[in-house]
Structure formats: structure tokens, C-alpha cells
Amino acid sequence: MTILIEQPEFGLQVEEKRVPFNANELILDGGFVVPNTLSSNNDDEIFEVPNINAFGQSFRDYNAESERQKTVEEFYRVQHINQTYDYVKRMREEYGKLNKIEMSIWDCCELLNDVIDDSDPDLDESQIEHLLQTAEAIRKDYPNEDWLHLTGLIHDLGKVLLHPSFGGLPQWAVVGDTFPLGCAFDESIVHHKYFKENSDINNTIYNTKNGVYDEGCGLDKVVMSWGHDDYMYLVSKENGTTLPSAALFVIRYHSFYALHKSGAYTHLMNEEDKENMKWLNIFNKYDLYSKSKVRIDVEKVKPYYLSLIEKYFPTKLRW
């Protein structure tokens, strides 16, 4: 079931309305074309890239006519109005305290059984299904990169922000594509037209290319829209994970499609960002194209992922 939550105290109160590529080649989020299968170290086990999503449509097609698309567009309208520079600063300060609950990684995965992402035009299954689909697809093609398998499992765990135990935030404050605040909104951002109602549009500095940032400052200096990406990054980092920096980069920026699909905001990146982008581009083809109706045997794969969690994380984390 979908968790429906009232608007939080932070930010502008905007009413949410509940509104009941070429098929022969696929464009990855890095902008390059791939065939319908991705090479694997094992010829018998190849992650096959599907041509259509769970609804029988092209992936990330925000213009397709469907009831699902109406819900997605309404989501982005509300998100673009509410996500402001000051709002995000307040949310990072509040949730950076990590004082909501103590819980293991796997328990958090199971908590996502009740969450469906209203911003996703490609899937309406529970989030734990997507986590395992992503992780298992990566595992097939990169069997020796166990840190990347675990990254696939945990990359969306920040969506527990929708749950009452974590503050019960509305969907627009948790999911959806992310984008920088404090500088101009790039036109490649999905449903860009709704930014005209964002209060930051009235700040002349925020509407310049660099805004409050210096060119090449590094993405870690940039204030991104608040959501599950930044939250899971904070949780991982502050709980002392031993995952490599590339994993934290993937977790923090995997929804930053304006960057890794459209090439926007590259002027803010530093050299470390550019190195980590290589792994983000690899990761995102699995994050996007592993969304399907194929079910994962949770009990069969659970022992493997529990061993990875034990390797890279403490038993319980502060959330």
C-alpha cells in the first residue's frame, strides 16, 4: 500500500491532488546507447535490458498518456514549488541529528514493503522489490564488486522518511529527481515549468549559472533538493560505513538526472566528482532498467546481503 502523509511543518503548504526512446535502442543515463543486453563476466548470466517498463511504456517517459503519469506530474508540481534553498537547509539540520530511531539495515529494507514511489513512472511495486532487483542485476554483471551490490540494495533506503517513525514526510520531500538549489534551475529538470511558482525564483543570485557557488567547487558543497538520496548519504556517512567514496557518491546523486542524463551542472564538479561519475553511470542503468515484474526470492538472497551489511555497516544504525 502507499503511505499517505500530511504535509510537514517545513516549507510552503501546497495542496497535493490525488489524480486517479526508441524501442530498438536504449539511452543510458550517461547519455550513450547500449544494446538490449549488457555484457557479463559470465556468458550464461546476462542482465537483459527490457524495452518497456512495468506499465508497457518507455522508461522515464513523462509525457505518456496514463493515469500514472497524471499522478507523477502532480507530484513534480508540488515538489518544484516546495523545495527551496532555505527549506533544504532546515531539513538537513533537522535530519542530520539522526535521532529518529535505531535500526539495522535489513530491518529498514523490510520497512519499505509499504512504500510506493509516486514520482516513478516506471514501477508501482514495493520498494524492497526494486532494491533487490537492482542489487541482483548488478551482482550478475559485477560479481567481484560486492560494495556495488550492497549499494544497489541500500540506495533507496532513505525513502523510509515517508514512514511515521521517521517523521512521515510527504512524497515531494522524499522521492523524485533531485536538483541543486541556490543556482539557476536547468531546463533539463523534469517538469521545469513548475519552478515559476518556487519562491527562490525571486532571488536574483539564485537565478545565475553559478549562484552561491564557485565553479569547480565540488558537488559536496552544493545544496541539493531534500530527499531520500541525501538522507541515506548522511545516515551512511555519520554511522561510519566502510563503503568506498564512489558508493556514497552513487547513493547521494543517483536521482540527479539533470547531471547524469542531461550533462547539466558539470561546471560545479571537481576532479573527485568526475572520477565517481564513472561508477554512477554504471549504476544507473541497473537502477533504471532493472524495474520489472520479475520477482526476487528474498529468503534465497537474504544471507548474502546480510553478510555484506555486516562487512560494511555496524549492526544498528542511528537514523
Side-chain angles (χ1 to χ4, degrees), residues 27-44:
I27 308 298
L28 295 190
D29 296 326
F32 49 91
V33 178
V34 293
N36 287 341
T37 58
L38 300 172
S39 61
S40 170
N41 293 329
N42 184 340
D43 290 339
D44 296 327

mmCIF file with all atom_site columns, all heavy atoms in Angstrom, residues 27-44:
data_model
loop_
_atom_site.group_PDB
_atom_site.id
_atom_site.type_symbol
_atom_site.label_atom_id
_atom_site.label_alt_id
_atom_site.label_comp_id
_atom_site.label_asym_id
_atom_site.label_entity_id
_atom_site.label_seq_id
_atom_site.pdbx_PDB_ins_code
_atom_site.Cartn_x
_atom_site.Cartn_y
_atom_site.Cartn_z
_atom_site.occupancy
_atom_site.B_iso_or_equiv
_atom_site.pdbx_formal_charge
_atom_site.auth_seq_id
_atom_site.auth_comp_id
_atom_site.auth_asym_id
_atom_site.auth_atom_id
_atom_site.pdbx_PDB_model_num
ATOM 1   N N   . ILE A 1 27 ? 18.948 4.508   -24.268 1.00 0.00 ? 27 ILE A N   1
ATOM 2   C CA  . ILE A 1 27 ? 19.911 5.536   -23.912 1.00 0.00 ? 27 ILE A CA  1
ATOM 3   C C   . ILE A 1 27 ? 20.136 5.477   -22.415 1.00 0.00 ? 27 ILE A C   1
ATOM 4   O O   . ILE A 1 27 ? 19.210 5.651   -21.632 1.00 0.00 ? 27 ILE A O   1
ATOM 5   C CB  . ILE A 1 27 ? 19.410 6.934   -24.296 1.00 0.00 ? 27 ILE A CB  1
ATOM 6   C CG1 . ILE A 1 27 ? 18.983 6.946   -25.763 1.00 0.00 ? 27 ILE A CG1 1
ATOM 7   C CG2 . ILE A 1 27 ? 20.486 7.982   -24.026 1.00 0.00 ? 27 ILE A CG2 1
ATOM 8   C CD1 . ILE A 1 27 ? 20.081 6.637   -26.732 1.00 0.00 ? 27 ILE A CD1 1
ATOM 9   N N   . LEU A 1 28 ? 21.358 5.200   -22.021 1.00 0.00 ? 28 LEU A N   1
ATOM 10  C CA  . LEU A 1 28 ? 21.663 5.149   -20.602 1.00 0.00 ? 28 LEU A CA  1
ATOM 11  C C   . LEU A 1 28 ? 21.702 6.550   -20.024 1.00 0.00 ? 28 LEU A C   1
ATOM 12  O O   . LEU A 1 28 ? 21.751 7.539   -20.735 1.00 0.00 ? 28 LEU A O   1
ATOM 13  C CB  . LEU A 1 28 ? 23.025 4.473   -20.377 1.00 0.00 ? 28 LEU A CB  1
ATOM 14  C CG  . LEU A 1 28 ? 23.100 2.995   -20.768 1.00 0.00 ? 28 LEU A CG  1
ATOM 15  C CD1 . LEU A 1 28 ? 24.397 2.420   -20.261 1.00 0.00 ? 28 LEU A CD1 1
ATOM 16  C CD2 . LEU A 1 28 ? 21.929 2.202   -20.226 1.00 0.00 ? 28 LEU A CD2 1
ATOM 17  N N   . ASP A 1 29 ? 21.714 6.604   -18.678 1.00 0.00 ? 29 ASP A N   1
ATOM 18  C CA  . ASP A 1 29 ? 21.691 7.897   -18.011 1.00 0.00 ? 29 ASP A CA  1
ATOM 19  C C   . ASP A 1 29 ? 22.952 8.699   -18.285 1.00 0.00 ? 29 ASP A C   1
ATOM 20  O O   . ASP A 1 29 ? 22.979 9.896   -18.117 1.00 0.00 ? 29 ASP A O   1
ATOM 21  C CB  . ASP A 1 29 ? 21.495 7.690   -16.507 1.00 0.00 ? 29 ASP A CB  1
ATOM 22  C CG  . ASP A 1 29 ? 20.146 7.068   -16.230 1.00 0.00 ? 29 ASP A CG  1
ATOM 23  O OD1 . ASP A 1 29 ? 19.200 7.373   -16.972 1.00 0.00 ? 29 ASP A OD1 1
ATOM 24  O OD2 . ASP A 1 29 ? 20.044 6.275   -15.291 1.00 0.00 ? 29 ASP A OD2 1
ATOM 25  N N   . GLY A 1 30 ? 24.028 8.028   -18.678 1.00 0.00 ? 30 GLY A N   1
ATOM 26  C CA  . GLY A 1 30 ? 25.234 8.751   -19.039 1.00 0.00 ? 30 GLY A CA  1
ATOM 27  C C   . GLY A 1 30 ? 25.154 9.352   -20.422 1.00 0.00 ? 30 GLY A C   1
ATOM 28  O O   . GLY A 1 30 ? 26.039 10.093  -20.832 1.00 0.00 ? 30 GLY A O   1
ATOM 29  N N   . GLY A 1 31 ? 24.107 8.989   -21.197 1.00 0.00 ? 31 GLY A N   1
ATOM 30  C CA  . GLY A 1 31 ? 23.898 9.604   -22.496 1.00 0.00 ? 31 GLY A CA  1
ATOM 31  C C   . GLY A 1 31 ? 24.346 8.772   -23.666 1.00 0.00 ? 31 GLY A C   1
ATOM 32  O O   . GLY A 1 31 ? 24.297 9.197   -24.809 1.00 0.00 ? 31 GLY A O   1
ATOM 33  N N   . PHE A 1 32 ? 24.792 7.507   -23.427 1.00 0.00 ? 32 PHE A N   1
ATOM 34  C CA  . PHE A 1 32 ? 25.256 6.702   -24.534 1.00 0.00 ? 32 PHE A CA  1
ATOM 35  C C   . PHE A 1 32 ? 24.315 5.536   -24.788 1.00 0.00 ? 32 PHE A C   1
ATOM 36  O O   . PHE A 1 32 ? 23.552 5.116   -23.928 1.00 0.00 ? 32 PHE A O   1
ATOM 37  C CB  . PHE A 1 32 ? 26.677 6.181   -24.290 1.00 0.00 ? 32 PHE A CB  1
ATOM 38  C CG  . PHE A 1 32 ? 26.878 5.550   -22.942 1.00 0.00 ? 32 PHE A CG  1
ATOM 39  C CD1 . PHE A 1 32 ? 26.692 4.194   -22.750 1.00 0.00 ? 32 PHE A CD1 1
ATOM 40  C CD2 . PHE A 1 32 ? 27.284 6.329   -21.857 1.00 0.00 ? 32 PHE A CD2 1
ATOM 41  C CE1 . PHE A 1 32 ? 26.878 3.614   -21.520 1.00 0.00 ? 32 PHE A CE1 1
ATOM 42  C CE2 . PHE A 1 32 ? 27.467 5.744   -20.620 1.00 0.00 ? 32 PHE A CE2 1
ATOM 43  C CZ  . PHE A 1 32 ? 27.275 4.382   -20.448 1.00 0.00 ? 32 PHE A CZ  1
ATOM 44  N N   . VAL A 1 33 ? 24.373 5.010   -26.020 1.00 0.00 ? 33 VAL A N   1
ATOM 45  C CA  . VAL A 1 33 ? 23.458 3.955   -26.448 1.00 0.00 ? 33 VAL A CA  1
ATOM 46  C C   . VAL A 1 33 ? 24.007 2.597   -26.069 1.00 0.00 ? 33 VAL A C   1
ATOM 47  O O   . VAL A 1 33 ? 25.197 2.341   -26.170 1.00 0.00 ? 33 VAL A O   1
ATOM 48  C CB  . VAL A 1 33 ? 23.255 4.017   -27.977 1.00 0.00 ? 33 VAL A CB  1
ATOM 49  C CG1 . VAL A 1 33 ? 22.334 2.899   -28.444 1.00 0.00 ? 33 VAL A CG1 1
ATOM 50  C CG2 . VAL A 1 33 ? 22.706 5.377   -28.375 1.00 0.00 ? 33 VAL A CG2 1
ATOM 51  N N   . VAL A 1 34 ? 23.126 1.685   -25.620 1.00 0.00 ? 34 VAL A N   1
ATOM 52  C CA  . VAL A 1 34 ? 23.549 0.323   -25.317 1.00 0.00 ? 34 VAL A CA  1
ATOM 53  C C   . VAL A 1 34 ? 22.628 -0.645  -26.037 1.00 0.00 ? 34 VAL A C   1
ATOM 54  O O   . VAL A 1 34 ? 21.484 -0.334  -26.318 1.00 0.00 ? 34 VAL A O   1
ATOM 55  C CB  . VAL A 1 34 ? 23.491 0.029   -23.804 1.00 0.00 ? 34 VAL A CB  1
ATOM 56  C CG1 . VAL A 1 34 ? 24.501 0.845   -23.061 1.00 0.00 ? 34 VAL A CG1 1
ATOM 57  C CG2 . VAL A 1 34 ? 22.106 0.278   -23.246 1.00 0.00 ? 34 VAL A CG2 1
ATOM 58  N N   . PRO A 1 35 ? 23.111 -1.854  -26.317 1.00 0.00 ? 35 PRO A N   1
ATOM 59  C CA  . PRO A 1 35 ? 22.242 -2.873  -26.906 1.00 0.00 ? 35 PRO A CA  1
ATOM 60  C C   . PRO A 1 35 ? 21.278 -3.404  -25.856 1.00 0.00 ? 35 PRO A C   1
ATOM 61  O O   . PRO A 1 35 ? 21.339 -3.036  -24.696 1.00 0.00 ? 35 PRO A O   1
ATOM 62  C CB  . PRO A 1 35 ? 23.247 -3.958  -27.342 1.00 0.00 ? 35 PRO A CB  1
ATOM 63  C CG  . PRO A 1 35 ? 24.389 -3.797  -26.392 1.00 0.00 ? 35 PRO A CG  1
ATOM 64  C CD  . PRO A 1 35 ? 24.492 -2.309  -26.151 1.00 0.00 ? 35 PRO A CD  1
ATOM 65  N N   . ASN A 1 36 ? 20.407 -4.326  -26.259 1.00 0.00 ? 36 ASN A N   1
ATOM 66  C CA  . ASN A 1 36 ? 19.389 -4.835  -25.360 1.00 0.00 ? 36 ASN A CA  1
ATOM 67  C C   . ASN A 1 36 ? 19.914 -5.790  -24.308 1.00 0.00 ? 36 ASN A C   1
ATOM 68  O O   . ASN A 1 36 ? 19.176 -6.228  -23.433 1.00 0.00 ? 36 ASN A O   1
ATOM 69  C CB  . ASN A 1 36 ? 18.282 -5.515  -26.146 1.00 0.00 ? 36 ASN A CB  1
ATOM 70  C CG  . ASN A 1 36 ? 17.425 -4.495  -26.850 1.00 0.00 ? 36 ASN A CG  1
ATOM 71  O OD1 . ASN A 1 36 ? 17.431 -3.332  -26.497 1.00 0.00 ? 36 ASN A OD1 1
ATOM 72  N ND2 . ASN A 1 36 ? 16.693 -4.917  -27.866 1.00 0.00 ? 36 ASN A ND2 1
ATOM 73  N N   . THR A 1 37 ? 21.177 -6.183  -24.393 1.00 0.00 ? 37 THR A N   1
ATOM 74  C CA  . THR A 1 37 ? 21.794 -6.959  -23.322 1.00 0.00 ? 37 THR A CA  1
ATOM 75  C C   . THR A 1 37 ? 23.089 -6.286  -22.938 1.00 0.00 ? 37 THR A C   1
ATOM 76  O O   . THR A 1 37 ? 23.771 -5.675  -23.750 1.00 0.00 ? 37 THR A O   1
ATOM 77  C CB  . THR A 1 37 ? 22.099 -8.405  -23.772 1.00 0.00 ? 37 THR A CB  1
ATOM 78  O OG1 . THR A 1 37 ? 22.953 -8.376  -24.917 1.00 0.00 ? 37 THR A OG1 1
ATOM 79  C CG2 . THR A 1 37 ? 20.814 -9.153  -24.116 1.00 0.00 ? 37 THR A CG2 1
ATOM 80  N N   . LEU A 1 38 ? 23.454 -6.401  -21.674 1.00 0.00 ? 38 LEU A N   1
ATOM 81  C CA  . LEU A 1 38 ? 24.689 -5.833  -21.164 1.00 0.00 ? 38 LEU A CA  1
ATOM 82  C C   . LEU A 1 38 ? 25.673 -6.962  -20.913 1.00 0.00 ? 38 LEU A C   1
ATOM 83  O O   . LEU A 1 38 ? 25.318 -7.996  -20.367 1.00 0.00 ? 38 LEU A O   1
ATOM 84  C CB  . LEU A 1 38 ? 24.413 -5.066  -19.865 1.00 0.00 ? 38 LEU A CB  1
ATOM 85  C CG  . LEU A 1 38 ? 23.433 -3.904  -20.019 1.00 0.00 ? 38 LEU A CG  1
ATOM 86  C CD1 . LEU A 1 38 ? 23.077 -3.347  -18.654 1.00 0.00 ? 38 LEU A CD1 1
ATOM 87  C CD2 . LEU A 1 38 ? 24.030 -2.829  -20.897 1.00 0.00 ? 38 LEU A CD2 1
ATOM 88  N N   . SER A 1 39 ? 26.918 -6.747  -21.296 1.00 0.00 ? 39 SER A N   1
ATOM 89  C CA  . SER A 1 39 ? 27.904 -7.813  -21.173 1.00 0.00 ? 39 SER A CA  1
ATOM 90  C C   . SER A 1 39 ? 28.119 -8.206  -19.732 1.00 0.00 ? 39 SER A C   1
ATOM 91  O O   . SER A 1 39 ? 28.039 -7.393  -18.818 1.00 0.00 ? 39 SER A O   1
ATOM 92  C CB  . SER A 1 39 ? 29.240 -7.350  -21.783 1.00 0.00 ? 39 SER A CB  1
ATOM 93  O OG  . SER A 1 39 ? 29.720 -6.226  -21.097 1.00 0.00 ? 39 SER A OG  1
ATOM 94  N N   . SER A 1 40 ? 28.425 -9.479  -19.520 1.00 0.00 ? 40 SER A N   1
ATOM 95  C CA  . SER A 1 40 ? 28.630 -10.013 -18.189 1.00 0.00 ? 40 SER A CA  1
ATOM 96  C C   . SER A 1 40 ? 29.914 -10.804 -18.153 1.00 0.00 ? 40 SER A C   1
ATOM 97  O O   . SER A 1 40 ? 30.417 -11.262 -19.178 1.00 0.00 ? 40 SER A O   1
ATOM 98  C CB  . SER A 1 40 ? 27.450 -10.905 -17.791 1.00 0.00 ? 40 SER A CB  1
ATOM 99  O OG  . SER A 1 40 ? 27.724 -11.611 -16.617 1.00 0.00 ? 40 SER A OG  1
ATOM 100 N N   . ASN A 1 41 ? 30.464 -10.997 -16.972 1.00 0.00 ? 41 ASN A N   1
ATOM 101 C CA  . ASN A 1 41 ? 31.635 -11.835 -16.817 1.00 0.00 ? 41 ASN A CA  1
ATOM 102 C C   . ASN A 1 41 ? 31.281 -13.303 -17.014 1.00 0.00 ? 41 ASN A C   1
ATOM 103 O O   . ASN A 1 41 ? 32.133 -14.143 -17.201 1.00 0.00 ? 41 ASN A O   1
ATOM 104 C CB  . ASN A 1 41 ? 32.253 -11.637 -15.429 1.00 0.00 ? 41 ASN A CB  1
ATOM 105 C CG  . ASN A 1 41 ? 32.830 -10.254 -15.275 1.00 0.00 ? 41 ASN A CG  1
ATOM 106 O OD1 . ASN A 1 41 ? 33.290 -9.667  -16.241 1.00 0.00 ? 41 ASN A OD1 1
ATOM 107 N ND2 . ASN A 1 41 ? 32.792 -9.720  -14.065 1.00 0.00 ? 41 ASN A ND2 1
ATOM 108 N N   . ASN A 1 42 ? 30.011 -13.630 -16.959 1.00 0.00 ? 42 ASN A N   1
ATOM 109 C CA  . ASN A 1 42 ? 29.538 -14.986 -17.151 1.00 0.00 ? 42 ASN A CA  1
ATOM 110 C C   . ASN A 1 42 ? 28.557 -14.976 -18.319 1.00 0.00 ? 42 ASN A C   1
ATOM 111 O O   . ASN A 1 42 ? 27.496 -14.385 -18.242 1.00 0.00 ? 42 ASN A O   1
ATOM 112 C CB  . ASN A 1 42 ? 28.837 -15.483 -15.880 1.00 0.00 ? 42 ASN A CB  1
ATOM 113 C CG  . ASN A 1 42 ? 28.415 -16.938 -15.989 1.00 0.00 ? 42 ASN A CG  1
ATOM 114 O OD1 . ASN A 1 42 ? 28.290 -17.482 -17.079 1.00 0.00 ? 42 ASN A OD1 1
ATOM 115 N ND2 . ASN A 1 42 ? 28.191 -17.565 -14.832 1.00 0.00 ? 42 ASN A ND2 1
ATOM 116 N N   . ASP A 1 43 ? 28.920 -15.648 -19.412 1.00 0.00 ? 43 ASP A N   1
ATOM 117 C CA  . ASP A 1 43 ? 28.092 -15.605 -20.610 1.00 0.00 ? 43 ASP A CA  1
ATOM 118 C C   . ASP A 1 43 ? 26.707 -16.186 -20.380 1.00 0.00 ? 43 ASP A C   1
ATOM 119 O O   . ASP A 1 43 ? 25.770 -15.913 -21.119 1.00 0.00 ? 43 ASP A O   1
ATOM 120 C CB  . ASP A 1 43 ? 28.778 -16.363 -21.750 1.00 0.00 ? 43 ASP A CB  1
ATOM 121 C CG  . ASP A 1 43 ? 30.016 -15.625 -22.244 1.00 0.00 ? 43 ASP A CG  1
ATOM 122 O OD1 . ASP A 1 43 ? 30.093 -14.408 -22.003 1.00 0.00 ? 43 ASP A OD1 1
ATOM 123 O OD2 . ASP A 1 43 ? 30.887 -16.272 -22.841 1.00 0.00 ? 43 ASP A OD2 1
ATOM 124 N N   . ASP A 1 44 ? 26.566 -17.045 -19.357 1.00 0.00 ? 44 ASP A N   1
ATOM 125 C CA  . ASP A 1 44 ? 25.282 -17.663 -19.074 1.00 0.00 ? 44 ASP A CA  1
ATOM 126 C C   . ASP A 1 44 ? 24.378 -16.775 -18.236 1.00 0.00 ? 44 ASP A C   1
ATOM 127 O O   . ASP A 1 44 ? 23.194 -17.048 -18.091 1.00 0.00 ? 44 ASP A O   1
ATOM 128 C CB  . ASP A 1 44 ? 25.483 -18.998 -18.349 1.00 0.00 ? 44 ASP A CB  1
ATOM 129 C CG  . ASP A 1 44 ? 26.204 -20.013 -19.224 1.00 0.00 ? 44 ASP A CG  1
ATOM 130 O OD1 . ASP A 1 44 ? 25.996 -19.969 -20.454 1.00 0.00 ? 44 ASP A OD1 1
ATOM 131 O OD2 . ASP A 1 44 ? 26.973 -20.829 -18.668 1.00 0.00 ? 44 ASP A OD2 1
#
